[in-house]
Amino acid sequence: MTKPGDPSEDRPTYYKGKTIPLKEYRLLKAEERANAPSLIPHQLHGCNYMLLQKDKKEPAGKWRDQKYTHNDPLLTAHIKNNHNYGVRITGGLCVMDADHVAALMEYPYFVDVLMDSFTVKSGKERDKATGEPRTGCHIYFYCPELPADKWALHTADGVDLGDIRGSDHVSYVVGPGSIHPDTGNKYKVINDADPITVNYDDLMAFIHSIVPEEEEEAQPAKAEKIPKVKSSGGSITDKLGLNVTDFLMPINPRHREHQIEGNHPVHKGNTGSNLALDPIANVWWCRHCTSGGGALEALAVADGILDCSYFKVGNAGLGDHWAAIFDALKKRGYSAQLAEMDRERKGLPKPVPKPVPKPVPKPVPKPVPKPASTGSPAAWREPRTTVQPPMPTIGVNGRDLKDVTEDTLRALHLHNTPPTMFVRAGKLVRIETDEKEIPKVADMSKDAVRGRCSCAAHFTRTMGDKSETLVYPPLDIVSDILALGSWLFPTLNGVIEAPAMRPDGTILSEIGFDEATGLYYSPTYEFRNTPFSVPDEPTQEDVDAAKKVIAEIICDFPFVDGSSRINFIAALITPIVRDLISGSVPMVLFDKPQPGTGASLLTEIIGIISTGRPAAMLTAPKTSEEWKKSITSTLIEGRLVVTVDNIEGKLHSPELASLLTLGMWTDRILGRSEMVTLVHRMIWIGNGNNIQLGGDLPRRCYWVRLDAQMARPQDRKTFRHKGLKKYVMSHRAEILSAVLILARSWIVAGRPEPDNLPTLGGYEEWIETVGGILAHVGYTGFIDNQVAMYDANDVDTPQWEGFLAAWYKIWPSKPVAVAIVVARLDHDSDLVDALPDTLADAYLDRQKSFVRVLGKALSGKKDRRFTSGLSIVVGNIEKRAVQWKVIDTKNVVRK
């Protein structure tokens, strides 16, 4: 833990774009948390809270120790994940759990007084036992004089009306906003007034009017006699000094003479007296199960070795459970005493204690020096020697694994401010930054989680002499955390390296994790303190100036038409406004007739502006399996922009075509037998010479075509910006500001949608957003060159049209079996020449059955109409074999 004056407290960190000392950052964040709006109504902020299971009333984990505050990060994350929570009243606040409001309306005090207080309608609609329609509610009110007790309310004929509980009662009620397990309805606030203060005498008169005093739980002056029960292992109990009160203490203990009674800590109850202890006789008795025993039986019940009902009178003894009892005693710190008893039983001498060596003083660690301001921040971005106070202490021995894990998770959540530990694709992840400051998302290994645990808490182990010593975080705890499979850490959608637009139109510019988008903003070190300015409501002068900035960076490029130029601007804008677009984004193709034209430079510019460096490069894989591996590994890293570079020949990938229309991608992790599902928000760029597209890719791309119209375009000398990448890097903040100004102008105008927007199936949200921005600021020609791209780049469609024309010439509108077509190919060279490239390669290869290859290809083109009017349709099905026919849809009307 850092102390005042510790040099590490002056370590620089970033807060809302400014460099400030760590100690100042902590004060600001603590003030933010204190003032942050709570998910729990303010009327209940003085209570304690506990975690319940999703859509259930049962606690999540051990509930008796749960006393969360209303702004506890773990509780807040629990509620945000739509889990239920419980309210434990305290501070003089009481609650009436009214199960039958209609019946209670007959009592004036209930109507005229209690119903004026803060009220939450429960999700109950019917009595679970009788099916009778009922409405329930929780009414919170102040009555500090009311004891921490519970009064069950019922009519003379036994109709249950609910109960009233005094402040600090051990029980809990389900909190507002939770889900009722039987009906699925929410616990909803129906009276948002502050809790009223009621008079104690009036309240008790109301209770007595429902529950006559003679029916209230008797409070006898003398303790009831506990039946005589047998206790196992008397000598062990005596030698170890075991007491029933060490293991089976009631939840709400009451002393009556020398006895202690209260609710049973395991199976609980509502009477407040179903468990009785006699510390003098060292026995216990469960009135609910009519069972009892001594200290060892109490240990068996407390640790879940045996059920309470096992120890009924006449069934005393631990039977075959002694091994489990000894294990439980060892976990509770009795190992040394048990070993001594074993030596005595065997008649062995006592061991001679070894001399205790003098303690060696621990070296005082040197203060961590402040890093140089000109170096890479990677060394101090996630410090391991400095932790955020407070740093809890967690004992690890003599406790259940789940309890230590729960304490460790709580410490990790408290330590995770600002967030650096996330969940992505069902894994715990963090942001890793290499020596070139390139951030990526990486799974947290056991070592990484263990290191984070050591920063979040002190772990101690109790020794035999009852002293405590510090230990490293146990690997069992680390493994248990990683094996949970579900965590309440923030969900990470990706990493960005430049300011971007949020879905609500605001600008994400604060370094670190952004809850609204699930993105982690990690700019390069040089860009951290670079100022950029975007007015909240840009004027026309701001928009004109922004357009000039963008025009300046593309003034030297030979776009073949205005549409290609505007399409590049669309590609430049898309990464910055990606979170304004809820749907998919098509791939942009940078196409040119020969190298040196500048297409590669344009793709690098997009990467530099949106990430601070050229986009991640990917060469086009050759096989489907390689495509899947490349896509999955790229998505796991969480990059924003990726370029498929140097595309040669035809780009054909069903995997890439499918990905371009998907919001989620599922695949097997390389080297593992497990599947992973990843959010797909990536921008894809293609770059090559005279790119040819196959399959469904043509309608999932848009085109930027360049042509310098000279033999050696790289030899051009008339450039305004000779070192364009250096120019863009030095003006990056200005260019980003220009893009954001254009987007903000459209947002402020109400996100207008022009009447003449183009269409591109499957990408309507992208068209509406990017096309809307471009049209609003005066750009025209957006994706007007789509038809030209289809004609120039789509090689599969013309080939199929030629093949179907050759087929139609031989078998006009006649059903033909695939086997007959293959037999014809063996002696008809014209038909072979008409085969599409993919089919021609398979026909010549013949490693696979070409009948199956052709049949599968025809199924993929079934009912598709080509521009020539031809279409391949199913003819007949004979002997479970499909016959195909080619028809001319311009001349034939299909029924």
Side-chain angles (χ1 to χ4, degrees):
M1 183 179 297
T2 57
K3 299 179 179 178
D6 190 331
S8 60
E9 279 288 279
D10 295 324
R11 179 174 60 81
T13 188
Y14 294 91
Y15 179 74
K16 295 186 177 180
K18 297 179 180 179
T19 305
I20 60 175
L22 178 61
K23 57 185 178 184
E24 183 179 342
Y25 168 81
R26 288 175 176 165
L27 291 174
L28 291 172
K29 293 301 287 186
E31 183 179 353
E32 278 188 6
R33 285 194 295 271
N35 297 328
S38 175
L39 298 176
I40 296 173
H42 69 275
Q43 293 92 337
L44 303 180
H45 280 189
C47 297
N48 295 320
Y49 303 92
M50 52 182 294
L51 312 182
L52 304 183
Q53 299 176 36
K54 187 174 183 180
D55 299 342
K56 293 184 179 180
K57 294 183 179 181
E58 287 74 20
K62 292 180 67 175
W63 68 275
R64 292 193 299 275
D65 298 330
Q66 293 187 28
K67 293 183 179 179
Y68 296 99
T69 58
H70 70 274
N71 56 356
D72 189 289
L74 185 59
L75 176 67
T76 301
H78 184 83
I79 297 174
K80 282 185 176 180
N81 280 272
N82 298 320
H83 287 64
N84 289 354
Y85 69 98
V87 181
R88 304 175 72 174
I89 50 176
T90 186
L93 188 68
C94 307
V95 64
M96 179 179 186
D97 186 357
D99 285 340
H100 202 325
V101 173
L104 285 165
M105 295 295 285
E106 299 178 5
Y107 297 89
Y109 186 83
F110 177 78
V111 177
D112 299 335
V113 179
L114 294 180
M115 289 193 69
D116 289 338
S117 194
F118 178 72
T119 305
V120 178
K121 182 181 180 295
S122 73
K124 181 184 290 185
E125 293 177 345
R126 294 181 179 275
D127 185 278
K128 195 171 182 179
T130 65
E132 176 189 353
R134 287 192 177 185
T135 300
C137 65
H138 299 154
I139 301 176
Y140 297 85
F141 57 91
Y142 282 103
C143 187
E145 300 87 356
L146 194 66
D149 216 330
K150 180 177 179 180
W151 287 264
L153 309 178
H154 56 84
T155 63
D157 54 355
V159 176
D160 183 20
L161 303 180
D163 59 70
I164 291 179
R165 309 175 200 184
S167 187
D168 295 316
H169 189 267
V170 69
S171 63
Y172 62 89
V173 293
V174 181
S178 300
I179 302 297
H180 195 282
D182 298 330
T183 64
N185 297 333
K186 275 194 174 184
Y187 287 76
K188 184 179 180 181
V189 176
I190 57 174
N191 187 352
D192 198 30
D194 290 334
I196 63 173
T197 300
V198 303
N199 181 271
Y200 170 76
D201 294 332
D202 294 342
L203 178 63
M204 292 306 299
F206 167 64
I207 293 175
H208 293 157
S209 68
I210 304 177
V211 184
E213 293 188 31
E214 59 270 16
E215 291 187 13
E216 292 186 45
E217 180 184 352
Q219 300 290 333
K222 293 184 178 180
E224 300 176 14
K225 185 178 179 181
I226 295 178
K228 190 175 182 180
V229 293
K230 293 182 179 180
S231 175
S232 303
S235 61
I236 296 176
T237 301
D238 295 338
K239 289 183 178 181
L240 297 182
L242 305 179
N243 297 304
V244 290
T245 54
D246 294 336
F247 309 120
L248 209 58
M249 196 67 178
I251 296 173
N252 52 339
R254 297 177 183 176
H255 291 269
R256 293 187 178 178
E257 294 184 343
H258 64 276
Q259 292 184 11
I260 304 171
E261 67 176 29
N263 276 339
H264 200 296
V266 178
H267 55 65
K268 304 175 181 61
N270 294 320
T271 65
S273 59
N274 58 2
L275 176 66
L277 307 180
D278 188 337
I280 296 177
N282 205 17
V283 294
W284 58 273
W285 179 253
C286 176
R287 296 189 176 105
H288 176 75
C289 299
T290 62
S291 61
L296 291 179
E297 287 81 4
L299 171 64
V301 173
D303 284 15
I305 299 171
L306 288 167
D307 185 71
C308 185
S309 60
Y310 175 83
F311 298 105
K312 288 182 177 292
V313 176
N315 191 29
L318 294 169
D320 298 329
H321 301 281
W322 279 102
I325 293 293
F326 283 125
D327 288 342
L329 287 170
K330 290 176 182 178
K331 290 180 180 179
R332 290 177 176 264
Y334 292 95
S335 298
Q337 294 94 319
L338 289 172
E340 179 63 25
M341 287 177 56
D342 189 55
R343 283 192 294 270
E344 290 180 1
R345 183 178 61 82
K346 294 178 180 178
L348 299 174
K350 293 184 178 181
V352 179
K354 296 181 180 180
V356 180
K358 294 182 179 180
V360 179
K362 295 182 179 180
V364 179
K366 296 181 180 180
V368 180
K370 182 179 179 180
S373 59
T374 56
S376 169
W380 50 267
R381 184 168 292 167
E382 292 183 16
R384 291 167 60 107
T385 57
T386 305
V387 298
Q388 297 175 324
M391 193 169 180
T393 299
I394 300 174
V396 300
N397 61 328
R399 302 179 63 201
D400 287 342
L401 177 67
K402 65 179 185 300
D403 296 333
V404 182
T405 299
E406 181 180 335
D407 288 348
T408 306
L409 281 171
R410 177 179 171 82
L412 286 171
H413 281 99
L414 292 173
H415 176 72
N416 200 40
T417 303
T420 55
M421 194 171 180
F422 308 96
V423 177
R424 177 178 167 86
K427 300 287 184 182
L428 281 179
V429 299
R430 64 177 180 177
I431 308 297
E432 291 184 355
T433 306
D434 63 15
E435 71 282 357
K436 297 180 180 179
E437 295 189 76
I438 300 177
K440 69 175 183 178
V441 182
D443 291 352
M444 293 192 72
S445 63
K446 280 189 177 181
D447 293 336
V449 175
R450 196 182 193 194
R452 195 63 61 89
C453 290
S454 70
C455 293
H458 297 297
F459 291 82
T460 62
R461 182 178 296 278
T462 303
M463 310 304 290
D465 58 357
K466 303 298 183 180
S467 63
E468 289 189 349
T469 183
L470 286 173
V471 296
Y472 297 143
L475 288 174
D476 290 344
I477 304 302
V478 175
S479 298
D480 194 34
I481 290 173
L482 287 171
L484 288 176
S486 177
W487 305 270
L488 297 179
F489 295 103
T491 299
L492 182 67
N493 290 328
V495 185
I496 59 172
E497 299 173 76
M501 299 292 291
R502 296 189 181 95
D504 62 358
T506 57
I507 298 175
L508 192 171
S509 59
E510 185 176 348
I511 296 171
F513 180 71
D514 182 67
E515 289 187 3
T517 60
L519 298 174
Y520 192 96
Y521 177 29
S522 178
T524 58
Y525 186 64
E526 291 78 7
F527 193 70
R528 287 173 178 260
N529 295 316
T530 303
F532 67 96
S533 176
V534 180
D536 289 337
E537 297 186 4
T539 63
Q540 187 59 48
E541 290 77 12
D542 295 327
V543 171
D544 293 340
K547 292 173 67 175
K548 289 180 181 180
V549 170
I550 294 174
E552 188 66 23
I553 64 177
I554 57 176
C555 61
D556 292 324
F557 289 90
F559 298 103
V560 298
D561 53 22
S563 183
S564 292
R565 180 176 178 273
I566 300 305
N567 287 354
F568 168 77
I569 297 175
L572 178 65
I573 291 175
T574 298
I576 312 302
V577 301
R578 182 62 181 92
D579 274 273
L580 285 177
I581 306 165
S582 59
S584 302
V585 172
M587 181 177 185
V588 57
L589 291 180
F590 287 89
D591 191 23
K592 72 278 188 186
Q594 61 195 84
T597 308
S600 297
L601 183 57
L602 282 178
T603 63
E604 290 183 82
I605 287 173
I606 293 177
I608 290 171
I609 293 172
S610 58
T611 67
R613 63 182 60 84
M617 293 293 180
L618 174 71
T619 56
K622 301 298 183 184
T623 65
S624 294
E625 192 63 30
E626 289 175 351
W627 266 111
K628 288 181 180 179
K629 292 177 182 178
S630 298
I631 290 171
T632 302
S633 60
T634 305
L635 288 177
I636 287 176
E637 291 182 355
R639 301 287 176 82
L640 177 63
V641 182
V642 63
T643 298
V644 183
D645 196 32
N646 256 341
I647 299 173
E648 296 180 357
K650 183 169 67 173
L651 180 64
H652 180 266
S653 169
E655 295 74 26
L656 178 60
S658 176
L659 176 72
L660 290 172
T661 59
L662 295 177
M664 305 291 289
W665 170 263
T666 301
D667 189 29
R668 185 175 64 85
I669 299 179
L670 182 63
R672 305 183 196 172
S673 59
E674 60 181 283
M675 303 297 289
V676 62
T677 299
L678 299 159
V679 176
H680 174 231
R681 305 288 288 169
M682 194 175 292
I683 309 299
W684 288 82
I685 301 174
N687 171 41
N689 301 325
N690 291 326
I691 301 173
Q692 297 178 347
L693 299 175
D696 290 331
L697 278 175
R699 59 189 182 88
R700 298 178 185 183
C701 298
Y702 64 108
W703 201 31
V704 176
R705 177 73 174 177
L706 299 98
D707 187 359
Q709 298 184 354
M710 56 187 303
R712 295 178 179 177
Q714 68 273 15
D715 293 339
R716 289 175 293 165
K717 300 185 182 298
T718 56
F719 292 110
R720 185 183 304 179
H721 302 293
K722 294 183 179 180
L724 184 61
K725 287 193 288 186
K726 185 177 180 180
Y727 171 83
V728 169
M729 183 62 78
S730 62
H731 290 77
R732 184 180 173 219
E734 183 182 358
I735 299 169
L736 280 168
S737 299
V739 173
L740 291 168
I741 284 172
L742 301 183
R744 277 296 301 172
S745 175
W746 178 68
I747 294 289
V748 172
R751 310 190 189 205
E753 181 179 342
D755 296 332
N756 58 346
L757 274 181
T759 58
L760 189 61
Y763 302 103
E764 291 80 9
E765 292 90 347
W766 176 73
I767 292 287
E768 291 172 3
T769 301
V770 176
I773 293 172
L774 294 172
H776 177 69
V777 299
Y779 290 120
T780 59
F782 176 48
I783 65 170
D784 282 353
N785 58 358
Q786 282 299 103
V787 175
M789 185 193 73
Y790 295 150
D791 293 341
N793 299 71
D794 186 1
V795 295
D796 282 355
T797 299
Q799 290 179 357
W800 270 95
E801 285 187 318
F803 175 58
L804 296 184
W807 179 316
Y808 188 76
K809 186 177 180 180
I810 302 171
W811 302 289
S813 301
K814 178 182 178 181
V816 182
V818 175
I820 295 176
V821 178
V822 174
R824 176 79 182 224
L825 286 168
D826 292 337
H827 61 271
D828 190 336
S829 59
D830 291 338
L831 188 59
V832 172
D833 292 341
L835 283 172
D837 290 343
T838 52
L839 292 178
D841 294 340
Y843 176 74
L844 295 175
D845 188 9
R846 291 301 182 96
Q847 290 185 0
K848 297 181 180 179
S849 168
F850 188 66
V851 172
R852 296 183 62 185
V853 173
L854 179 58
K856 187 175 180 180
L858 293 173
S859 297
K861 302 296 180 182
K862 183 181 69 171
D863 296 331
R864 179 175 174 180
R865 296 193 178 193
F866 292 86
T867 54
S868 61
L870 297 179
S871 179
I872 182 76
V873 298
V874 175
N876 300 323
I877 299 178
E878 293 185 359
K879 297 180 181 180
R880 298 197 303 180
V882 177
Q883 293 183 340
W884 299 90
K885 65 178 180 179
V886 177
I887 62 173
D888 187 349
T889 58
K890 294 181 179 179
N891 300 322
V892 177
V893 178
R894 294 180 62 199
K895 296 184 180 179

